[in-house]
Amino acid sequence: MTSEIFPHNVQQTLDLVGIFVFALSGGLMAVRKNMDIFGICVLAEATALGGGVLRDLVIGALPVAAFTSFGYFPTPLVAGVVVFFLHPEVERITRAVMVLDAAGLGLFCVTGTIKAHTYGLGAIPSVACGMLTAAGGGVIRDLLAMEPPSLLRWDREIYAVPALVGSAVVAVLIGVGRLTPLYASLAAVVAFTMRMLALKYGWRAPRAWHRNGSRTSEE
Amino acid sequence: MTSEIFPHNVQQTLDLVGIFVFALSGGLMAVRKNMDIFGICVLAEATALGGGVLRDLVIGALPVAAFTSFGYFPTPLVAGVVVFFLHPEVERITRAVMVLDAAGLGLFCVTGTIKAHTYGLGAIPSVACGMLTAAGGGVIRDLLAMEPPSLLRWDREIYAVPALVGSAVVAVLIGVGRLTPLYASLAAVVAFTMRMLALKYGWRAPRAWHRNGSRTSEE
Amino acid sequence: MTSEIFPHNVQQTLDLVGIFVFALSGGLMAVRKNMDIFGICVLAEATALGGGVLRDLVIGALPVAAFTSFGYFPTPLVAGVVVFFLHPEVERITRAVMVLDAAGLGLFCVTGTIKAHTYGLGAIPSVACGMLTAAGGGVIRDLLAMEPPSLLRWDREIYAVPALVGSAVVAVLIGVGRLTPLYASLAAVVAFTMRMLALKYGWRAPRAWHRNGSRTSEE
């Protein structure tokens, strides 16, 4: 599959690490919502694989990779069990989890964009698929947990925008015929770095102009 | 694609106008929910393209048209930017937006029904796909904004029923072999008119019989 | 289609009974939420067919069976009309509905697992698809009704776990080459019995270890 930009073993390992970390965030949300072990595993699966499933559905890559690629489906179950037994310890290393989550964001926006391109999508839709891959699972997690999607909240550090930038870099690289493993890695690093800086400096996206609070439901 | 009932240029222009108007309603919901520019664009995209994406998924028209048809994906972004800068002005012309929204409803229930038919679905499922195309995006918009789907609320003027009627007219026209551009346009006009009358006269659908309020959660 | 484990007529009848009962639960939820006849029918459709639609989407069985198999789509509409006129009577036989619902759970986890296997999925993903078929519709119902998915709540009797067990039995039967109609029926009976016992004895799944309530939002 040409959506693999690294040697197969490396790509697979990176994918599974990214899936594991995304699954941790889903499992922790389930614990905070007081769900049982089953709910923890469902949210771990949905968070880790949801973005890729949405991408595969809209581009027509069926059956979805989540159910056919080695290790994709079992990995979130392992993360779910880890959270079930060790959630206070996992909460305590939230900082490390967020760093790894940012790395997963960088990885998946790049591989998602490439996969969409190999299925014949144009540059802009491929970028959208990159973002969907990286950020879609978190939206599904929040919907299942009945939380307003954190992705859409103005009071959270930007999450999808770094994925957008990483995806756009990949689309440009494809456009100019320079998509090498090295450059693809750099695109992932750009998205990762941007997300880390957003966390460090509290970067947020602007809200609509002329907002004076009169019509808002949350101010 | 035989789901085009009008000359290609006309069809494309109508599609993009409908998408733009649906996107405005998504963007305005995002502003009301105090989302940032990114959330505005996401809700604009989801509202404008969500119904067609759901239809394409269930009928197997992959990759989805939202990502492959010219202009489909960028148009909601333009609407999102318009809402971002000009939302008070857009709110002020809500009446005009609702008229255009009703026109989009009429257009998309017709084209959705035809597309499902060309993918081999029977009459009743094609009608369901017509409704899904016209009304599905609004449901996704409401879920992402954590609002009870307005489509399902008894205290809102009927929205999906006009789409149902328009779709059913198309299915009958297909059944009797008379689906011409003229008749298809008339089906769209029927749905549009019914929606406008529903808005004007406050038409609502009946609730379950014998409701005495004792078991309701919202009365 | 090899996902039919019984003679065609028997299978079809069982499917439609299962769909009808699932649709009743969707319609009753809509009545409790004070929705109109349209909302009742939409929730009946989504609850009855949603699980199978999700399964067909992820395995790539398109167009989805919900729109192509005889009687699948109209049956929930009949259930919706029944609920509309007779909901107090239907509420009164909730116990009978729950028994039939458990039977549907047993049936659909078995047929869902078999269908996923025939589309080339491995054992674990096939089990996941069996659960998705049996329990996915209920999650969609709860999301559309803005209720926390009852599937994910620790304070509800286990629902997906019986489906998991039934699906796993089927996967083992496939693995050892012994999937006969008799054994498949037994797998469905296992899931059904487990669900009935869970209801009778209030079986619940464990929550995360070391929960002391300090971080929970619902305790």
Side-chain angles (χ1 to χ4, degrees):
Chain A
M1 177 162 58
T2 51
S3 58
E4 295 196 343
I5 51 173
F6 305 111
H8 185 70
N9 284 348
V10 176
Q11 174 84 38
Q12 202 166 49
T13 307
L14 290 174
D15 278 354
L16 293 182
V17 170
I19 286 170
F20 186 82
V21 179
F22 276 29
L24 288 183
S25 95
L28 288 175
M29 169 69 85
V31 170
R32 279 182 215 119
K33 287 287 175 170
N34 211 9
M35 293 180 186
D36 58 30
I37 174 67
F38 176 77
I40 293 169
C41 286
V42 167
L43 249 69
E45 289 282 356
T47 309
L49 303 178
V53 166
L54 291 178
R55 175 204 59 210
D56 288 348
L57 288 176
V58 296
I59 68 175
L62 305 177
V64 296
F67 282 174
T68 55
S69 292
F70 177 77
Y72 274 36
F73 189 82
T75 298
L77 298 180
V78 176
V81 172
V82 166
V83 168
F84 179 74
F85 286 110
L86 301 174
H87 66 94
E89 286 75 12
V90 178
E91 291 276 16
R92 215 169 295 139
I93 56 165
T94 298
R95 178 85 196 150
V97 170
M98 289 188 97
V99 174
L100 286 169
D101 184 86
L105 182 77
L107 174 68
F108 291 134
C109 74
V110 169
T111 55
T113 306
I114 296 171
K115 185 166 187 182
H117 173 73
T118 64
Y119 274 78
L121 270 65
I124 292 180
S126 292
V127 169
C129 284
M131 291 174 62
L132 193 63
T133 309
V139 173
I140 296 177
R141 173 198 65 208
D142 293 343
L143 288 180
L144 288 175
M146 299 296 285
E147 285 281 309
S150 74
L151 188 73
L152 300 176
R153 297 178 57 167
W154 71 273
D155 56 349
R156 295 291 164 87
E157 289 78 14
I158 51 172
Y159 189 90
V161 174
L164 170 64
V165 171
S167 299
V169 170
V170 171
V172 169
L173 288 170
I174 291 172
V176 300
R178 304 288 292 238
L179 186 74
T180 63
L182 176 64
Y183 285 130
S185 307
L186 285 178
V189 168
V190 166
F192 167 76
T193 307
M194 193 170 167
R195 169 67 179 158
M196 292 308 296
L197 291 172
L199 283 172
K200 184 170 173 64
Y201 296 107
W203 289 352
R204 286 164 192 179
R207 279 178 290 163
W209 283 26
H210 323 299
R211 299 287 300 167
N212 55 15
S214 62
R215 300 183 64 95
T216 65
S217 58
E218 297 174 328
E219 272 182 345
Chain B
M1 177 162 59
T2 52
S3 58
E4 295 196 345
I5 50 172
F6 306 110
H8 185 69
N9 284 347
V10 176
Q11 174 84 39
Q12 203 166 47
T13 307
L14 290 174
D15 279 354
L16 294 182
V17 170
I19 286 171
F20 186 82
V21 179
F22 275 29
L24 287 182
S25 94
L28 288 175
M29 169 69 87
V31 170
R32 279 181 216 119
K33 287 286 176 171
N34 210 8
M35 293 179 187
D36 58 30
I37 174 67
F38 177 78
I40 292 169
C41 286
V42 167
L43 249 69
E45 289 283 355
T47 309
L49 303 178
V53 167
L54 291 177
R55 175 204 60 209
D56 288 347
L57 289 176
V58 296
I59 68 177
L62 305 177
V64 297
F67 282 173
T68 55
S69 292
F70 176 77
Y72 274 37
F73 189 81
T75 298
L77 298 180
V78 176
V81 171
V82 167
V83 168
F84 179 73
F85 285 109
L86 301 174
H87 66 93
E89 286 75 14
V90 178
E91 291 276 16
R92 217 169 295 139
I93 55 164
T94 299
R95 178 87 196 148
V97 170
M98 289 187 98
V99 173
L100 285 168
D101 184 86
L105 182 78
L107 174 68
F108 289 134
C109 75
V110 169
T111 55
T113 306
I114 295 171
K115 185 166 187 181
H117 173 73
T118 64
Y119 274 78
L121 269 66
I124 293 180
S126 292
V127 169
C129 283
M131 292 174 61
L132 193 62
T133 309
V139 173
I140 296 177
R141 173 199 64 209
D142 293 342
L143 288 180
L144 288 175
M146 300 296 285
E147 285 281 309
S150 73
L151 188 74
L152 300 175
R153 296 179 58 169
W154 71 273
D155 57 350
R156 295 291 165 87
E157 290 79 15
I158 52 172
Y159 189 90
V161 175
L164 170 64
V165 171
S167 299
V169 170
V170 172
V172 169
L173 288 171
I174 291 173
V176 300
R178 303 288 290 240
L179 186 73
T180 62
L182 176 64
Y183 285 131
S185 306
L186 285 178
V189 168
V190 166
F192 167 76
T193 307
M194 192 169 168
R195 170 66 178 159
M196 292 309 296
L197 291 173
L199 282 173
K200 184 171 173 63
Y201 296 108
W203 289 353
R204 285 164 192 177
R207 279 178 292 163
W209 283 25
H210 323 299
R211 300 286 300 168
N212 55 14
S214 62
R215 300 183 65 94
T216 65
S217 58
E218 295 174 328
E219 275 182 344
Chain C
M1 176 162 57
T2 52
S3 59
E4 295 197 343
I5 50 173
F6 306 111
H8 185 69
N9 284 347
V10 176
Q11 175 84 39
Q12 202 166 47
T13 307
L14 289 174
D15 278 354
L16 293 182
V17 170
I19 286 170
F20 186 83
V21 179
F22 275 29
L24 288 182
S25 95
L28 289 175
M29 168 69 86
V31 170
R32 278 182 217 119
K33 287 287 176 171
N34 210 8
M35 293 180 187
D36 58 32
I37 174 66
F38 176 78
I40 292 170
C41 286
V42 167
L43 249 69
E45 289 283 354
T47 309
L49 303 178
V53 166
L54 291 177
R55 175 204 59 209
D56 288 348
L57 287 177
V58 295
I59 68 176
L62 304 177
V64 296
F67 282 173
T68 56
S69 292
F70 177 77
Y72 274 38
F73 189 82
T75 299
L77 298 181
V78 175
V81 171
V82 167
V83 168
F84 179 74
F85 285 109
L86 301 174
H87 65 95
E89 286 75 13
V90 178
E91 291 277 16
R92 217 169 295 137
I93 56 165
T94 299
R95 178 86 195 150
V97 170
M98 289 188 97
V99 173
L100 286 168
D101 184 86
L105 182 78
L107 174 68
F108 290 134
C109 74
V110 169
T111 56
T113 307
I114 295 171
K115 185 166 187 182
H117 172 74
T118 65
Y119 273 78
L121 268 66
I124 292 179
S126 292
V127 169
C129 283
M131 292 174 62
L132 193 63
T133 310
V139 173
I140 295 177
R141 173 197 64 208
D142 293 342
L143 289 179
L144 288 175
M146 300 295 286
E147 286 281 309
S150 73
L151 188 74
L152 300 176
R153 295 178 59 167
W154 71 272
D155 57 349
R156 295 291 165 86
E157 290 78 15
I158 52 172
Y159 189 90
V161 175
L164 171 64
V165 171
S167 299
V169 170
V170 171
V172 169
L173 288 170
I174 291 172
V176 300
R178 304 288 290 240
L179 186 74
T180 62
L182 176 64
Y183 284 131
S185 307
L186 286 178
V189 169
V190 166
F192 167 76
T193 307
M194 193 169 168
R195 169 67 179 159
M196 292 309 296
L197 291 172
L199 282 173
K200 184 172 174 63
Y201 296 109
W203 289 352
R204 287 166 190 175
R207 278 177 293 164
W209 284 25
H210 322 299
R211 297 289 300 169
N212 56 14
S214 62
R215 300 183 64 94
T216 66
S217 57
E218 296 173 327
E219 273 183 347

Short mmCIF file of all heavy atoms in Angstrom, two decimals, chain A residues 65-104:
data_model
loop_
_atom_site.label_atom_id
_atom_site.label_comp_id
_atom_site.label_asym_id
_atom_site.label_seq_id
_atom_site.Cartn_x
_atom_site.Cartn_y
_atom_site.Cartn_z
N ALA A 65 -9.40 -0.55 7.22
CA ALA A 65 -8.11 -1.03 7.70
C ALA A 65 -8.17 -1.42 9.18
O ALA A 65 -7.46 -2.34 9.61
CB ALA A 65 -7.03 0.04 7.48
N ALA A 66 -9.03 -0.75 9.94
CA ALA A 66 -9.12 -1.03 11.37
C ALA A 66 -9.43 -2.51 11.62
O ALA A 66 -9.07 -3.05 12.67
CB ALA A 66 -10.21 -0.16 12.00
N PHE A 67 -10.11 -3.14 10.68
CA PHE A 67 -10.52 -4.53 10.86
C PHE A 67 -9.66 -5.50 10.07
O PHE A 67 -9.85 -6.71 10.17
CB PHE A 67 -11.99 -4.71 10.45
CG PHE A 67 -12.96 -4.22 11.48
CD1 PHE A 67 -14.32 -4.19 11.22
CD2 PHE A 67 -12.52 -3.79 12.74
CE1 PHE A 67 -15.22 -3.74 12.17
CE2 PHE A 67 -13.42 -3.34 13.68
CZ PHE A 67 -14.77 -3.31 13.39
N THR A 68 -8.76 -5.01 9.25
CA THR A 68 -7.98 -5.93 8.42
C THR A 68 -6.47 -5.82 8.66
O THR A 68 -5.76 -6.76 8.35
CB THR A 68 -8.26 -5.66 6.93
OG1 THR A 68 -7.99 -4.28 6.65
CG2 THR A 68 -9.70 -5.97 6.58
N SER A 69 -5.99 -4.70 9.18
CA SER A 69 -4.55 -4.55 9.40
C SER A 69 -4.15 -5.22 10.71
O SER A 69 -4.85 -5.09 11.72
CB SER A 69 -4.15 -3.08 9.43
OG SER A 69 -4.31 -2.50 8.15
N PHE A 70 -3.00 -5.86 10.68
CA PHE A 70 -2.54 -6.61 11.83
C PHE A 70 -2.41 -5.73 13.07
O PHE A 70 -1.73 -4.70 13.03
CB PHE A 70 -1.18 -7.25 11.52
CG PHE A 70 -0.60 -7.98 12.69
CD1 PHE A 70 -1.08 -9.23 13.05
CD2 PHE A 70 0.40 -7.39 13.46
CE1 PHE A 70 -0.56 -9.89 14.14
CE2 PHE A 70 0.92 -8.06 14.55
CZ PHE A 70 0.44 -9.31 14.89
N GLY A 71 -3.05 -6.12 14.15
CA GLY A 71 -2.87 -5.45 15.42
C GLY A 71 -3.72 -4.24 15.65
O GLY A 71 -3.81 -3.75 16.78
N TYR A 72 -4.35 -3.70 14.60
CA TYR A 72 -5.12 -2.47 14.76
C TYR A 72 -6.25 -2.64 15.77
O TYR A 72 -6.47 -1.79 16.62
CB TYR A 72 -5.73 -2.04 13.43
CG TYR A 72 -4.84 -1.20 12.57
CD1 TYR A 72 -3.47 -1.43 12.51
CD2 TYR A 72 -5.35 -0.17 11.80
CE1 TYR A 72 -2.66 -0.65 11.70
CE2 TYR A 72 -4.54 0.61 10.98
CZ TYR A 72 -3.20 0.36 10.94
OH TYR A 72 -2.41 1.13 10.15
N PHE A 73 -7.01 -3.74 15.65
CA PHE A 73 -8.16 -3.89 16.52
C PHE A 73 -7.79 -4.30 17.95
O PHE A 73 -8.34 -3.77 18.92
CB PHE A 73 -9.17 -4.87 15.93
CG PHE A 73 -10.46 -4.90 16.68
CD1 PHE A 73 -11.43 -3.95 16.45
CD2 PHE A 73 -10.68 -5.86 17.66
CE1 PHE A 73 -12.61 -3.95 17.17
CE2 PHE A 73 -11.85 -5.87 18.39
CZ PHE A 73 -12.82 -4.91 18.14
N PRO A 74 -6.86 -5.24 18.14
CA PRO A 74 -6.53 -5.65 19.52
C PRO A 74 -5.83 -4.58 20.34
O PRO A 74 -6.01 -4.52 21.56
CB PRO A 74 -5.60 -6.87 19.31
CG PRO A 74 -5.87 -7.34 17.92
CD PRO A 74 -6.24 -6.11 17.14
N THR A 75 -5.03 -3.72 19.68
CA THR A 75 -4.22 -2.76 20.44
C THR A 75 -5.05 -1.88 21.38
O THR A 75 -4.69 -1.73 22.56
CB THR A 75 -3.39 -1.90 19.46
OG1 THR A 75 -2.49 -2.77 18.75
CG2 THR A 75 -2.60 -0.84 20.20
N PRO A 76 -6.17 -1.30 20.92
CA PRO A 76 -6.96 -0.49 21.87
C PRO A 76 -7.52 -1.29 23.03
O PRO A 76 -7.73 -0.74 24.12
CB PRO A 76 -8.09 0.06 20.99
CG PRO A 76 -7.56 0.04 19.61
CD PRO A 76 -6.69 -1.18 19.55
N LEU A 77 -7.75 -2.59 22.81
CA LEU A 77 -8.23 -3.42 23.93
C LEU A 77 -7.15 -3.49 25.01
O LEU A 77 -7.45 -3.43 26.21
CB LEU A 77 -8.59 -4.82 23.44
CG LEU A 77 -9.73 -4.90 22.42
CD1 LEU A 77 -9.99 -6.34 22.02
CD2 LEU A 77 -10.99 -4.26 22.98
N VAL A 78 -5.90 -3.63 24.59
CA VAL A 78 -4.79 -3.64 25.55
C VAL A 78 -4.75 -2.31 26.30
O VAL A 78 -4.64 -2.28 27.54
CB VAL A 78 -3.45 -3.90 24.83
CG1 VAL A 78 -2.29 -3.79 25.81
CG2 VAL A 78 -3.47 -5.26 24.14
N ALA A 79 -4.89 -1.21 25.54
CA ALA A 79 -4.90 0.11 26.19
C ALA A 79 -6.07 0.22 27.17
O ALA A 79 -5.93 0.78 28.27
CB ALA A 79 -4.98 1.21 25.14
N GLY A 80 -7.22 -0.34 26.78
CA GLY A 80 -8.38 -0.30 27.66
C GLY A 80 -8.13 -1.04 28.97
O GLY A 80 -8.49 -0.56 30.06
N VAL A 81 -7.50 -2.20 28.89
CA VAL A 81 -7.20 -2.96 30.10
C VAL A 81 -6.18 -2.20 30.96
O VAL A 81 -6.30 -2.16 32.19
CB VAL A 81 -6.69 -4.37 29.72
CG1 VAL A 81 -6.19 -5.10 30.96
CG2 VAL A 81 -7.81 -5.16 29.05
N VAL A 82 -5.19 -1.60 30.31
CA VAL A 82 -4.21 -0.81 31.06
C VAL A 82 -4.91 0.31 31.83
O VAL A 82 -4.66 0.52 33.03
CB VAL A 82 -3.15 -0.22 30.09
CG1 VAL A 82 -2.32 0.86 30.79
CG2 VAL A 82 -2.25 -1.33 29.56
N VAL A 83 -5.81 1.02 31.15
CA VAL A 83 -6.53 2.11 31.82
C VAL A 83 -7.40 1.57 32.95
O VAL A 83 -7.49 2.16 34.03
CB VAL A 83 -7.39 2.90 30.80
CG1 VAL A 83 -8.35 3.84 31.51
CG2 VAL A 83 -6.49 3.67 29.85
N PHE A 84 -8.04 0.42 32.70
CA PHE A 84 -8.92 -0.17 33.71
C PHE A 84 -8.17 -0.40 35.03
O PHE A 84 -8.65 -0.05 36.10
CB PHE A 84 -9.49 -1.48 33.18
CG PHE A 84 -10.40 -2.19 34.14
CD1 PHE A 84 -11.69 -1.72 34.38
CD2 PHE A 84 -9.99 -3.34 34.80
CE1 PHE A 84 -12.54 -2.38 35.25
CE2 PHE A 84 -10.83 -4.00 35.68
CZ PHE A 84 -12.10 -3.51 35.92
N PHE A 85 -6.98 -0.97 34.92
CA PHE A 85 -6.23 -1.30 36.14
C PHE A 85 -5.39 -0.14 36.65
O PHE A 85 -5.18 0.00 37.85
CB PHE A 85 -5.32 -2.51 35.89
CG PHE A 85 -6.08 -3.80 35.82
CD1 PHE A 85 -6.22 -4.48 34.62
CD2 PHE A 85 -6.68 -4.34 36.95
CE1 PHE A 85 -6.93 -5.67 34.55
CE2 PHE A 85 -7.39 -5.53 36.89
CZ PHE A 85 -7.52 -6.20 35.68
N LEU A 86 -4.89 0.69 35.74
CA LEU A 86 -3.86 1.66 36.13
C LEU A 86 -4.26 3.11 35.87
O LEU A 86 -3.39 3.97 35.76
CB LEU A 86 -2.56 1.36 35.35
CG LEU A 86 -1.96 -0.02 35.54
CD1 LEU A 86 -0.79 -0.20 34.58
CD2 LEU A 86 -1.50 -0.20 36.99
N HIS A 87 -5.56 3.40 35.81
CA HIS A 87 -5.91 4.75 35.37
C HIS A 87 -5.32 5.86 36.24
O HIS A 87 -4.96 6.91 35.71
CB HIS A 87 -7.42 4.91 35.19
CG HIS A 87 -8.20 4.79 36.44
ND1 HIS A 87 -8.55 5.88 37.16
CD2 HIS A 87 -8.66 3.73 37.10
CE1 HIS A 87 -9.23 5.49 38.22
NE2 HIS A 87 -9.32 4.18 38.20
N PRO A 88 -5.17 5.70 37.56
CA PRO A 88 -4.56 6.82 38.29
C PRO A 88 -3.12 7.06 37.83
O PRO A 88 -2.69 8.21 37.69
CB PRO A 88 -4.60 6.35 39.76
CG PRO A 88 -5.59 5.23 39.79
CD PRO A 88 -5.52 4.58 38.45
N GLU A 89 -2.41 5.96 37.54
CA GLU A 89 -1.04 6.11 37.06
C GLU A 89 -1.02 6.77 35.68
O GLU A 89 -0.17 7.62 35.39
CB GLU A 89 -0.35 4.74 36.97
CG GLU A 89 0.04 4.15 38.32
CD GLU A 89 -1.16 3.60 39.08
OE1 GLU A 89 -2.24 3.46 38.48
OE2 GLU A 89 -1.03 3.34 40.30
N VAL A 90 -1.98 6.38 34.82
CA VAL A 90 -2.01 6.98 33.49
C VAL A 90 -2.36 8.46 33.58
O VAL A 90 -1.78 9.29 32.89
CB VAL A 90 -3.02 6.22 32.58
CG1 VAL A 90 -3.08 6.87 31.20
CG2 VAL A 90 -2.63 4.76 32.45
N GLU A 91 -3.30 8.80 34.47
CA GLU A 91 -3.65 10.22 34.65
C GLU A 91 -2.42 11.01 35.08
O GLU A 91 -2.24 12.17 34.70
CB GLU A 91 -4.75 10.38 35.72
CG GLU A 91 -6.11 9.86 35.33
CD GLU A 91 -6.93 10.86 34.52
OE1 GLU A 91 -6.36 11.84 34.00
OE2 GLU A 91 -8.15 10.64 34.39
N ARG A 92 -1.57 10.35 35.91
CA ARG A 92 -0.43 11.07 36.47
C ARG A 92 0.59 11.42 35.40
O ARG A 92 1.35 12.38 35.56
CB ARG A 92 0.21 10.21 37.57
CG ARG A 92 0.76 11.02 38.72
CD ARG A 92 1.14 10.12 39.89
NE ARG A 92 -0.02 9.45 40.47
CZ ARG A 92 -0.04 8.17 40.88
NH1 ARG A 92 1.05 7.43 40.77
NH2 ARG A 92 -1.13 7.64 41.40
N ILE A 93 0.62 10.63 34.32
CA ILE A 93 1.57 10.94 33.25
C ILE A 93 0.86 11.60 32.07
O ILE A 93 1.24 11.45 30.91
CB ILE A 93 2.33 9.68 32.78
CG1 ILE A 93 1.34 8.60 32.34
CG2 ILE A 93 3.26 9.16 33.87
CD1 ILE A 93 2.00 7.49 31.53
N THR A 94 -0.20 12.37 32.39
CA THR A 94 -0.97 13.03 31.34
C THR A 94 -0.09 13.82 30.39
O THR A 94 -0.30 13.85 29.18
CB THR A 94 -2.02 13.98 31.96
OG1 THR A 94 -2.91 13.19 32.74
CG2 THR A 94 -2.81 14.70 30.89
N ARG A 95 0.92 14.47 30.97
CA ARG A 95 1.83 15.27 30.15
C ARG A 95 2.49 14.40 29.08
O ARG A 95 2.51 14.75 27.90
CB ARG A 95 2.88 15.89 31.06
CG ARG A 95 3.93 16.71 30.35
CD ARG A 95 3.49 18.15 30.11
NE ARG A 95 4.36 18.77 29.12
CZ ARG A 95 3.98 19.73 28.29
NH1 ARG A 95 2.76 20.19 28.31
NH2 ARG A 95 4.82 20.24 27.41
N ALA A 96 2.99 13.23 29.49
CA ALA A 96 3.63 12.33 28.53
C ALA A 96 2.62 11.82 27.51
O ALA A 96 2.92 11.70 26.32
CB ALA A 96 4.26 11.15 29.27
N VAL A 97 1.39 11.55 28.00
CA VAL A 97 0.36 11.08 27.07
C VAL A 97 0.06 12.15 26.03
O VAL A 97 -0.12 11.85 24.84
CB VAL A 97 -0.92 10.69 27.84
CG1 VAL A 97 -2.08 10.43 26.89
CG2 VAL A 97 -0.67 9.46 28.69
N MET A 98 0.05 13.42 26.44
CA MET A 98 -0.25 14.49 25.48
C MET A 98 0.86 14.64 24.44
O MET A 98 0.60 14.96 23.29
CB MET A 98 -0.47 15.81 26.22
CG MET A 98 -1.78 15.80 26.98
SD MET A 98 -2.19 17.43 27.66
CE MET A 98 -3.31 18.06 26.40
N VAL A 99 2.10 14.43 24.88
CA VAL A 99 3.20 14.49 23.91
C VAL A 99 3.05 13.37 22.89
O VAL A 99 3.16 13.59 21.67
CB VAL A 99 4.57 14.39 24.63
CG1 VAL A 99 5.70 14.29 23.61
CG2 VAL A 99 4.77 15.58 25.55
N LEU A 100 2.79 12.16 23.38
CA LEU A 100 2.61 11.05 22.46
C LEU A 100 1.38 11.25 21.58
O LEU A 100 1.38 10.90 20.39
CB LEU A 100 2.47 9.74 23.24
CG LEU A 100 3.78 9.21 23.84
CD1 LEU A 100 3.49 8.08 24.81
CD2 LEU A 100 4.71 8.73 22.73
N ASP A 101 0.33 11.83 22.15
CA ASP A 101 -0.88 12.12 21.38
C ASP A 101 -0.56 13.09 20.23
O ASP A 101 -1.03 12.91 19.11
CB ASP A 101 -1.95 12.72 22.30
CG ASP A 101 -3.25 12.94 21.57
OD1 ASP A 101 -4.06 12.00 21.49
OD2 ASP A 101 -3.46 14.06 21.04
N ALA A 102 0.26 14.09 20.52
CA ALA A 102 0.67 15.04 19.48
C ALA A 102 1.48 14.33 18.40
O ALA A 102 1.36 14.64 17.21
CB ALA A 102 1.48 16.19 20.09
N ALA A 103 2.28 13.36 18.82
CA ALA A 103 3.05 12.59 17.84
C ALA A 103 2.10 11.76 16.97
O ALA A 103 2.27 11.67 15.74
CB ALA A 103 4.05 11.68 18.55
N GLY A 104 1.08 11.16 17.59
CA GLY A 104 0.09 10.41 16.82
C GLY A 104 -0.64 11.31 15.84
O GLY A 104 -0.89 10.94 14.69
#
